[in-house]
Amino acid sequence: MHAKFADLLVCPARQVAVFMSDLFGAHDIYNAPGVVDPANWTLRLRPGCEAAYWPAAARGAALDLGWALAIALRSRGPACASEHADLITRLERGLGRPC
């Protein structure tokens, strides 16, 4: 998942959107095709989602944008990685991941 988002961060796009279910690692269905129901298109984050996010991101079950950015910076080559080494280190350690 992180490598896919890293690809988005290094592509020539000027803007990148992240859907909240990807960010939070949610797997709930928000649009059931062929179903007319008030719950369709009403995906909501559950209470406590912020507290649950950090452990989920640390174990790779939710998107850690900092980690994806570190991957993206490294993928730009040794010169970019060297230029941004301090930032990459801080991003990689953001959730307690080893460098």
Side-chain angles (χ1 to χ4, degrees), residues 8-74:
L8 290 174
L9 294 172
V10 296
C11 79
R14 294 183 59 156
Q15 297 179 359
V16 174
V18 177
F19 191 59
M20 68 179 186
S21 63
D22 292 324
L23 178 63
F24 286 95
H27 299 287
D28 299 334
I29 295 175
Y30 65 95
N31 176 29
V35 175
V36 177
D37 186 275
N40 247 4
W41 292 102
T42 58
L43 179 63
R44 301 287 186 261
L45 295 175
R46 294 185 175 125
C49 67
E50 183 177 358
Y53 167 76
W54 297 109
R59 68 177 183 275
L63 177 63
D64 176 355
L65 286 173
W67 186 253
L69 180 55
I71 294 169
L73 289 169
R74 286 190 184 281

